[in-house]
Amino acid sequence: MKKKWLVIMVVALFIVSLFVGCTENETSSDSKEKTENVATEEKAEEKTDEKADEPLRIFMSNAYYTAPYCAPLNEGVNIEAERLGYEIQIVDGEGSADKQLAQFKAAVAEGYDALIYFPADEASTPPVVDYLVSTGLPWVVLNTTVDPAVEELVPSTIASDFRDIGSNIAQMAVDYLPDGGNVVYIEGAAGSSYTMQLTESIYSTFEENNITILNDHQYSDWDPGKSMVMMEDFITKYGAENIDLVVCQDGGMWQGALAALDAAGLKGKVLGVAAGNDLIIKESIIDGSLLGTSIQDPFVEGGLGVSTLDKLIKGEEAPKWAVVPGGLCLIDDIEKHKWF
Amino acid sequence: MKSYSITNDINNKLVIFLKKRAVTVLLLAFIVFMVISKPSFYSWGNITNILTEMSVYGIVAFAMTVAIIGGEFDLSASSIFGWATVFFISITNTLGLIPAFFLTLISGILMGMVNGFLVSKVKLNAFVVTLATMTIIKGLTFFYTGGSPINTSNETLIAIGAFNVAGITLTPIIFVIALIVFILILAKTRFGRNIYATGGNYHVAKLTGINVDYYKFIIFVIVGFCSALAGILLCVRVQAGSALYGKDLALYAVTATVIGGTSLSGGNGGVAKTVIGLLVMSVLFNALTLLGVEGYFQQLIRGIVLIAVIIIDTVIKKKNK
């Protein structure tokens, strides 16, 4: 009896699989039945007509799909794609160029019309860029620039100027500490282009302005919890009286640092500067615990990615580097920006 | 009467096959579904894409299978893999490709030996030891590179990466060779049988005269070697190295092994089964992209399907017992 049920279950599974498969592919199987007696040329024409009626499809592989920054970025991509009449699929590249390459190959096999590449890091981009070039499809790079060796091959890059963001943060610190001072600095993730380029700018500006970073490189991995522990350790190690300012690479890190400052009774006494458009940053600027932020609007960035790709799809000229609008935001500029 | 007996015999064989190979049957059913619903799924380009995608991690999954059969577990595979990518690229840039290849493999073996020594000689728990060495090696890798990913423009490496026969690159070829080697070692040698015996019942194996400590030791050397080899293969594909590469590798390798049917309690299983586990994961990863499923749902569906596959397999095996 049990054997019978088992066989029935497996057979049923096959049938359901086949049925679902057939319904998914209803159009193609229907047309197959109908056109059995029709000439091959007519079949090809029908398929071309069907394709012409369908919206073009864009495929995007986002290396940091689940990062907080990417939630509004993905939303910006989706909304702009819908506005321009494209179908879009965004997948998680899981921080791996190897996986992203496999995803793009699958997307090309599936017949996507255009591609968006959000790389994990610069170093691993060459093989992916070479493949994207070989597809002959319109494509753009979003958020992170590629390795200089293949930069020329990229039709268009849509990204913030990370060094500019670093300069903005550093300049706010310099304005606050005109005679120099001591800061603690919490970074994002080791190896991330964003982290490295921000750090490069911040270090060089601080060196020129007699500002000392007390700690060595400390990576929070974008995690507010880790950032909070780091800040607690900094307070213990250096003493609150020796910390003039806290510098964070994004709102999540600032959230953690702020919690530690608050717990030590230092909120509003030791101030901070950060980058990003997080709501915690907005609130902190309003309550005076944060001097300001360097704007990096993920929603705008996502939208700009699709609109730039749209230009390439239509054969129009697109900028080699579409810089995502940024700049400083102090308390008077709060209402001018979107917060997430 | 005779025809009834033949039909009955076929039915019995089919039922036994279904009971033993539930995951394989489910995988085949899913492949049939994909072939029908997405013609692009069985294009040669996509088939080679799936094979290539599963090959790098697959080699580590084979080594992990051996470790699990031997009753052990190695979390440091991810870190050895990440280390191998940066070490290989950096040595390639300074000393050249061939020294980089051998030195990277040797470094992987040495790391495996440290794990093996701590588990087999010092008698520490493998989970704790490899968790610690995972962190140490990760820290070493960050220190070695200053946290930055590094790449190479070594032309020979790029040429090796571009090499293919009918779309099949070097990585799947090495994967198949590794598969054959592991099958032969496990099934046809005394070494393989002793690993099964060590994992099946450590004390009984020891009483029968098997040098169990040696086998425990060698398991970690194998994982170290294979993790380093897989790191090199990733470098062949992406020509870059980073401490962050392979962070999900150990989990992936264990998942593929378990889905394939190798028991976590040790003493049974095999690498051929792990291939089924690898195929389940790679086909699912590829299929969800082809079916147009969004990233968040992909994670959700992958998790649900993996649990479902394991539950169905376990239920059928329990009923079989």
Side-chain angles (χ1 to χ4, degrees):
Chain A
M1 195 64 183
K2 278 181 187 174
K3 286 178 190 173
K4 267 187 183 177
W5 274 111
L6 194 65
V7 174
I8 289 167
M9 272 174 66
V10 173
V11 172
L13 182 71
F14 268 107
I15 292 168
V16 169
S17 296
L18 294 172
F19 178 75
V20 176
C22 292
T23 48
E24 278 275 321
N25 204 28
E26 207 171 313
T27 324
S28 59
S29 50
D30 279 355
S31 70
K32 198 178 171 187
E33 281 171 23
K34 286 174 192 169
T35 55
E36 265 177 355
N37 300 320
V38 182
T40 321
E41 291 84 9
E42 283 177 3
K43 263 199 243 176
E45 271 175 28
E46 273 178 25
K47 277 188 179 175
T48 315
D49 289 345
E50 274 174 25
K51 177 96 182 160
D53 293 338
E54 289 168 5
L56 291 179
R57 295 189 304 154
I58 298 172
F59 180 85
M60 173 173 160
S61 174
N62 182 341
Y64 296 108
Y65 185 83
T66 51
Y69 180 80
C70 288
L73 183 139
N74 292 340
E75 195 189 340
V77 167
N78 278 319
I79 289 175
E80 185 66 3
E82 197 183 338
R83 191 185 73 80
L84 293 169
Y86 294 109
E87 258 182 30
I88 187 146
Q89 184 190 4
I90 311 174
V91 296
D92 187 357
E94 296 175 20
S96 160
D98 197 35
K99 280 188 180 157
Q100 291 191 285
L101 193 57
Q103 287 169 335
F104 281 124
K105 285 182 178 177
V108 171
E110 181 49 24
Y112 276 85
D113 303 292
L115 309 164
I116 300 177
Y117 174 34
F118 184 133
D121 56 62
E122 281 187 9
S124 62
T125 52
V128 183
V129 168
D130 285 340
Y131 174 72
L132 293 174
V133 170
S134 76
T135 64
L137 296 172
W139 63 283
V140 293
V141 168
L142 186 62
N143 184 269
T144 303
T145 50
V146 299
D147 187 78
V150 290
E151 219 169 49
E152 278 306 306
L153 300 173
V154 178
S156 186
T157 300
I158 301 92
S160 297
D161 186 337
F162 296 156
R163 288 187 178 85
D164 199 37
I165 293 173
S167 297
N168 286 336
I169 295 176
Q171 196 52 52
M172 279 188 281
V174 171
D175 292 344
Y176 181 65
L177 302 168
D179 302 322
N182 297 325
V183 304
V184 290
Y185 176 37
I186 304 173
E187 298 178 53
S192 135
S193 301
Y194 177 83
T195 294
M196 289 193 297
Q197 290 177 24
L198 251 70
T199 298
E200 211 178 287
S201 282
I202 288 170
Y203 269 57
S204 68
T205 311
F206 283 0
E207 262 177 30
E208 290 162 10
N209 292 279
N210 201 27
I211 293 177
T212 307
I213 298 175
L214 294 169
N215 56 299
D216 202 351
H217 295 284
Q218 293 286 329
Y219 302 105
S220 68
D221 294 327
W222 322 109
D223 179 350
K226 273 191 185 175
S227 171
M228 187 177 79
V229 173
M230 279 177 197
M231 192 65 226
E232 284 167 350
D233 292 345
F234 293 153
I235 294 168
T236 309
K237 186 176 177 184
Y238 305 114
E241 66 282 4
N242 294 318
I243 301 172
D244 298 316
L245 191 70
V246 180
V247 181
C248 294
Q249 286 197 342
D250 81 350
M253 287 171 225
W254 169 246
Q255 188 174 11
L258 183 66
L261 288 170
D262 199 11
L266 297 169
K267 187 180 172 183
K269 292 174 187 162
V270 176
L271 304 185
V273 288
N277 290 41
D278 310 60
L279 279 168
I280 181 73
I281 286 186
K282 182 188 177 187
E283 287 164 16
S284 297
I285 294 174
I286 291 170
D287 72 22
S289 53
L290 196 71
L291 292 170
T293 184
S294 183
I295 291 296
Q296 191 192 7
D297 188 333
F299 190 83
V300 169
E301 185 177 321
L304 192 59
V306 178
S307 59
T308 308
L309 182 61
D310 177 57
K311 284 182 185 166
L312 292 173
I313 292 168
K314 289 174 179 162
E316 295 169 10
E317 203 176 320
K320 192 77 182 159
W321 184 9
V323 182
V324 179
L328 271 178
C329 172
L330 304 174
I331 190 151
D332 296 336
D333 314 314
I334 287 281
E335 297 310 322
K336 293 179 193 164
H337 301 285
K338 262 192 169 182
W339 304 92
F340 303 98
Chain B
M1 194 66 184
K2 197 179 177 184
S3 82
Y4 171 78
S5 159
I6 291 168
T7 317
N8 209 26
D9 191 39
I10 291 169
N11 275 345
N12 282 339
K13 280 182 179 171
L14 181 65
V15 168
I16 290 166
F17 175 79
L18 290 177
K19 280 180 177 176
K20 281 190 173 172
R21 300 274 181 267
V23 176
T24 312
V25 172
L26 288 169
L27 175 67
L28 288 173
F30 187 66
I31 288 174
V32 169
F33 161 68
M34 281 307 296
V35 166
I36 293 164
S37 62
K38 288 285 168 190
S40 56
F41 178 77
Y42 61 91
S43 66
W44 181 241
N46 195 50
I47 292 167
T48 56
N49 188 25
I50 292 172
L51 288 176
T52 310
E53 202 267 322
M54 68 186 246
S55 297
V56 175
Y57 280 16
I59 288 167
V60 182
F62 292 158
M64 195 65 84
T65 306
V66 174
I68 290 171
I69 290 170
E72 295 299 347
F73 193 76
D74 191 344
L75 288 172
S76 68
S78 304
S79 293
I80 298 175
F81 179 87
W83 159 261
T85 63
V86 295
F87 190 63
F88 178 76
I89 293 292
S90 113
I91 300 294
T92 299
N93 286 338
T94 50
L95 300 177
L97 201 56
I98 294 170
F101 178 76
F102 287 107
L103 289 173
T104 306
L105 288 181
I106 290 167
S107 70
I109 290 170
L110 287 174
M111 287 169 181
M113 285 170 76
V114 172
N115 282 332
F117 174 77
L118 293 171
V119 173
S120 66
K121 297 291 176 192
V122 189
K123 306 287 180 196
L124 298 177
N125 181 285
F127 188 86
V128 178
V129 166
T130 57
L131 186 68
T133 51
M134 176 184 84
T135 315
I136 293 167
I137 297 165
K138 183 74 84 187
L140 177 72
T141 314
F142 276 126
F143 177 74
Y144 185 73
T145 59
S148 309
I150 48 174
N151 63 4
T152 182
S153 49
N154 184 294
E155 286 177 7
T156 313
L157 186 69
I158 294 168
I160 294 171
F163 166 82
N164 74 82
V165 182
I168 298 173
T169 55
L170 184 70
T171 325
I173 296 170
I174 304 278
F175 171 82
V176 172
I177 293 170
L179 172 65
I180 294 166
V181 168
F182 273 109
I183 288 176
L184 289 176
I185 288 175
L186 286 175
K188 302 285 180 193
T189 66
R190 194 172 67 179
F191 178 85
R193 286 192 295 275
N194 286 349
I195 286 184
Y196 279 99
T198 305
N201 193 320
Y202 179 85
H203 297 291
V204 171
K206 198 173 181 179
L207 288 172
T208 55
I210 294 171
N211 186 354
V212 285
D213 289 345
Y214 166 74
Y215 288 100
K216 291 275 181 194
F217 175 81
I218 212 74
I219 279 168
F220 292 97
V221 176
I222 291 170
V223 177
F225 173 81
C226 286
S227 303
L229 178 64
I232 293 171
L233 290 176
L234 184 81
C235 292
V236 169
R237 270 172 67 71
V238 301
Q239 288 113 43
S242 166
L244 300 174
Y245 293 169
K247 59 188 175 192
D248 57 341
L249 171 61
L251 191 64
Y252 181 97
V254 172
T255 312
T257 305
V258 173
I259 289 175
T262 297
S263 164
L264 275 174
S265 52
N268 68 52
V271 287
K273 289 182 172 182
T274 301
V275 174
I276 299 298
L278 288 167
L279 275 170
V280 167
M281 295 178 73
S282 297
V283 166
L284 196 59
F285 182 79
N286 178 269
L288 291 173
T289 299
L290 293 182
L291 290 168
V293 179
E294 282 285 315
Y296 294 125
F297 289 111
Q298 284 204 10
Q299 294 202 4
L300 185 78
I301 293 169
R302 273 155 73 185
I304 291 170
V305 168
L306 295 180
I307 285 178
V309 165
I310 293 169
I311 289 172
I312 292 169
D313 191 41
T314 311
V315 168
I316 289 174
K317 276 179 184 161
K318 269 186 184 172
K319 284 192 174 177
N320 200 22
K321 276 179 184 172

